[in-house]
Amino acid sequence: MKIVDGDKAECDRCESVFPLADVSLLEKETNRDYERVLCGECLGVVGVPRGYTLRRDITHLAK
């Protein structure tokens, strides 16, 4: 995950930068080291595959 300017993150799919409030974190249930930040549009395309969980609120990661 790339946090930019302390309160923004780069979408791992489209590589655009969004405020933390506008992105979600997709995590693999069997590998907590695997995480992908997705913007709303990319999340709509990818969805939440079986074996993954989604965190919609990651604003606690702001620095």
Side-chain angles (χ1 to χ4, degrees):
M1 170 181 5
K2 295 180 189 172
I3 294 183
V4 181
D5 295 332
D7 64 347
K8 296 180 182 123
E10 183 179 311
C11 176
D12 286 319
R13 187 168 185 272
C14 69
E15 299 181 352
S16 297
V17 176
F18 297 91
L20 286 176
D22 295 341
V23 296
S24 299
L25 187 65
L26 189 65
E27 298 175 312
K28 195 168 192 175
E29 292 175 355
T30 58
N31 182 358
R32 288 293 176 187
D33 291 330
Y34 179 91
E35 54 187 24
R36 299 282 184 179
V37 174
L38 296 174
C39 66
E41 185 175 329
C42 290
L43 179 60
V45 172
V46 174
V48 181
R50 179 178 286 170
Y52 291 80
T53 57
L54 184 69
R55 281 197 216 179
R56 293 205 179 263
D57 183 12
I58 59 170
T59 55
H60 66 280
L61 298 174
K63 297 178 183 173

